[in-house]
Amino acid sequence: TNAFILFVDDKSVPVVSQLQEAGWMVERVRDLVDIEDIKVRRSDVIFVDCKGVGKKLSKTDQGLAIAREIKRKYGNSKRIVMYSEYATYGMNTEYRKYTDNQMSKDSELLEFIAMIDTELEKIR
């Protein structure tokens, strides 16, 4: 596929290299400050960690702040999947407003691929 996938995560994510080995164009950045960054502009699906990223945009919202800014700038041309190692984190109205989907960080590779395919169908 010619889709670009971006992970915004302050920690290393094993699925990034697994997706790369499977032929996907995937990158990870430790954080985002500028949502006009080339990596954001060329990405189709962006996985954003809930915690530990986006603190420069908002100390309280963190990952949600990144999702909100990307949605405000790019609308539905970018699909945002909020993901977390905390399976029970609350997806309140604010999250649902600015993210397209959610999943657990410890999902299997095939679950990530299914999520990417699902989200890509919505922008193609």
Side-chain angles (χ1 to χ4, degrees):
T1 175
N2 57 355
F4 273 95
I5 314 301
L6 181 64
F7 281 78
V8 182
D9 199 324
D10 58 319
K11 297 187 183 88
S12 172
V13 193
V15 77
V16 169
S17 55
Q18 293 170 343
L19 285 165
Q20 289 167 335
E21 287 163 20
W24 292 86
M25 291 184 278
V26 184
E27 291 182 295
R28 175 181 74 98
V29 293
R30 296 179 78 79
D31 203 352
L32 269 180
V33 179
D34 179 10
I35 59 154
E36 295 187 27
D37 184 292
I38 182 68
K39 290 177 180 173
V40 174
R41 290 202 317 256
R42 72 171 167 222
S43 294
D44 300 297
V45 180
I46 303 171
F47 287 85
V48 181
D49 189 10
C50 271
K51 302 264 186 266
V53 298
K55 290 179 183 171
K56 286 189 176 76
L57 295 171
S58 167
K59 281 192 178 12
T60 51
D61 289 345
Q62 299 189 32
L64 178 59
I66 291 174
R68 183 173 54 234
E69 295 309 309
I70 291 173
K71 277 295 177 190
R72 282 183 180 154
K73 172 109 181 110
Y74 301 100
N76 284 327
S77 67
K78 311 257 177 251
R79 304 302 290 180
I80 301 194
V81 179
M82 191 65 86
Y83 78 130
S84 174
E85 54 197 337
Y86 313 103
T88 57
Y89 68 100
M91 289 298 269
N92 60 26
T93 312
E94 199 69 355
Y95 277 95
R96 288 193 292 275
K97 185 174 176 185
Y98 297 110
T99 63
D100 299 300
N101 226 318
Q102 66 196 56
M103 69 188 300
S104 171
K105 200 183 266 201
D106 58 7
S107 298
E108 299 292 325
L109 174 62
L110 291 177
E111 293 173 275
F112 276 98
I113 291 173
M115 177 67 75
I116 292 166
D117 285 339
T118 297
E119 292 306 321
L120 285 174
E121 279 173 25
K122 295 174 183 167
I123 51 175
R124 295 252 153 98

